[in-house]
Amino acid sequence: MRFMKIFLSILGVLLLAILGMVIFAPTNVAVETSEVIPASKTMVFQEVLTFKARDAWNPWTDMDPNIKQEIIGEDGTVGAKYRWEGNSDVGSGEQEITAIEGMDKVDTKLIFTAPWESEADTYMKLEEVEGGTKVSWGFSSEAPRPTNAMMLFMKGAIEKDYNKGLKRLKKLIEDNPMSFEIREKEMPETYYVGKRSTINMADITAYFTEVFPAAFAYVGKSGINATGNPMGLYYSYAEDGSSTDLAAVIPIENGNIVGSDFDLITIPAGKALVMDYYGDYNAIDKGHDEFEAYLLRKGLKRKFPVAEQYITDPTTVDDPSKILTQITYWLE
């Protein structure tokens, strides 16, 4: 009899505790965890935009080796869906991309169908910070009473999983080997002649086609010694990628030019990083992304301009992998 009284007392306390949680616990559960990854925003964005890329680092990959997965629609675009069906650890459901804000944020709607039905809004947010890119992973779900009490316990589990996933993402990017060799080099004072303008990114080829022949003609007529292939010196970019402050130039032996119809540009001697980028110029952003990641990992800072020297004329080769562009980043 005494045992029964004790049992009922304990049960009563538990019921009161549960009732208290149901009454006083919030009906909305929000989680956000963050990690700074030493890589460019572009490089990180490539790993969070698509469901396929996320599968390599998400924290639930190892929980069910037999999980069934399906991607519906064009992965990495609004409306694309990821459906899964797994064991009790990962459950079943689907996730849909609902919004993409440039490279700043990707929103998704998460719908669980097992082990119970629920919905949540999630996001991946990217921000350029000192030392790399800050990635914030967020989760928000309405939890009506009495299920709000259970969500209190789930919040800690979600935070733990999200932290695990972001650390896996960081390691994945840090362990990703560079595709191209980057060399440190002491650069002498260098001189260039050409034209500098702010132009639309779509007009770069036309701009080069106009300026390079005219600059070479001027160099030849003036008896100036050219010292290399034509180059693009990039001083700045519009944040939306629509335009660039660009100089189309020819490297020359010295800066003794008087009365030129062209711009004379001098870059002081200093330390620089140099990469021989082989590949289609339309994919050269990959080379620049690797440069940015290298700078972050080494704790280095570049200064403008950034140079691209066009060693191979793409019209002379059939294989894009043989097109050589030498990229130079001068260092502060």
Side-chain angles (χ1 to χ4, degrees):
M1 190 71 178
R2 182 181 176 187
F3 172 78
M4 181 60 67
K5 288 182 178 180
I6 294 173
F7 173 76
L8 291 174
S9 297
I10 294 173
L11 181 61
V13 170
L14 289 174
L15 290 173
L16 285 173
I18 293 172
L19 181 61
M21 285 189 291
V22 169
I23 293 173
F24 296 107
T27 56
N28 177 274
V29 176
V31 172
E32 182 180 280
T33 62
S34 301
E35 186 79 31
V36 175
I37 298 175
S40 69
K41 195 174 183 180
T42 303
M43 185 173 287
V44 177
F45 185 70
Q46 293 171 351
E47 301 298 335
V48 305
L49 175 61
T50 66
F51 294 122
K52 183 178 181 180
R54 292 189 187 195
D55 200 44
W57 54 265
N58 83 63
W60 307 286
T61 303
D62 304 328
M63 293 183 180
D64 183 0
N66 298 314
I67 189 172
K68 297 178 181 178
Q69 301 166 305
E70 180 184 13
I71 295 175
I72 302 169
E74 184 179 350
D75 198 5
T77 65
V78 173
K81 293 182 179 181
Y82 167 79
R83 288 180 181 167
W84 81 95
E85 184 179 343
N87 59 22
S88 58
D89 291 326
V90 297
S92 301
E94 73 174 31
Q95 188 171 17
E96 178 181 355
I97 299 176
T98 56
I100 300 173
E101 300 176 15
M103 288 193 294
D104 297 329
K105 192 180 180 188
V106 179
D107 293 320
T108 62
K109 170 68 74 174
L110 189 59
I111 300 175
F112 292 97
T113 55
W116 59 81
E117 294 183 359
S118 64
E119 294 186 6
D121 295 313
T122 72
Y123 61 83
M124 301 290 295
K125 186 167 59 177
L126 276 60
E127 178 186 0
E128 292 180 345
V129 297
E130 186 71 25
T133 302
K134 180 181 177 181
V135 185
S136 299
W137 195 359
F139 172 100
S140 178
S141 178
E142 293 294 330
R145 295 181 175 87
T147 56
N148 61 324
M150 181 177 60
M151 290 300 289
L152 282 177
F153 299 100
M154 286 190 61
K155 183 176 180 180
I158 294 170
E159 289 177 341
K160 181 180 177 181
D161 286 343
Y162 276 22
N163 279 319
K164 178 182 177 182
L166 291 180
K167 290 187 183 305
R168 290 183 66 169
L169 171 61
K170 181 179 181 180
K171 188 175 189 307
L172 172 72
I173 292 177
E174 288 180 333
D175 291 349
N176 186 34
M178 295 288 186
S179 302
F180 304 96
E181 179 187 2
I182 295 176
R183 310 182 300 278
E184 294 192 16
K185 183 178 180 180
E186 289 291 339
M187 298 287 286
E189 186 173 66
T190 49
Y191 311 96
Y192 307 91
V193 64
K195 290 285 187 181
R196 178 177 173 181
S197 302
T198 298
I199 64 171
N200 291 329
M201 297 292 285
D203 297 332
I204 289 178
T205 300
Y207 185 66
F208 284 164
T209 301
E210 174 190 346
V211 176
F212 286 151
F216 270 119
Y218 173 79
V219 166
K221 181 178 66 175
S222 303
I224 303 168
N225 292 324
T227 58
N229 294 72
M231 303 176 67
L233 300 178
Y234 295 84
Y235 287 85
S236 66
Y237 306 89
E239 288 189 3
D240 61 2
S242 61
S243 64
T244 177
D245 180 359
L246 165 65
V249 298
I250 307 298
I252 57 175
E253 192 171 41
N254 61 64
N256 298 325
I257 298 177
V258 179
S260 170
D261 292 330
F262 291 83
D263 297 322
L264 172 65
I265 298 171
T266 303
I267 297 181
K271 186 173 291 186
L273 300 176
V274 180
M275 171 195 289
D276 290 335
Y277 173 82
Y278 284 92
D280 189 339
Y281 182 76
N282 291 326
I284 201 169
D285 282 350
K286 181 179 180 181
H288 288 286
D289 287 342
E290 292 197 1
F291 251 123
E292 297 294 341
Y294 184 90
L295 291 171
L296 290 166
R297 293 173 192 177
K298 296 291 186 179
L300 301 172
K301 292 186 177 181
R302 57 146 165 78
K303 57 184 179 182
F304 287 106
V306 168
E308 293 179 356
Q309 187 168 34
Y310 310 109
I311 308 299
T312 306
D313 181 348
T315 63
T316 63
V317 295
D318 296 328
D319 184 358
S321 67
K322 296 179 180 179
I323 299 173
L324 170 59
T325 304
Q326 191 171 84
I327 307 173
T328 301
Y329 278 39
W330 281 271
L331 301 175
E332 291 185 355

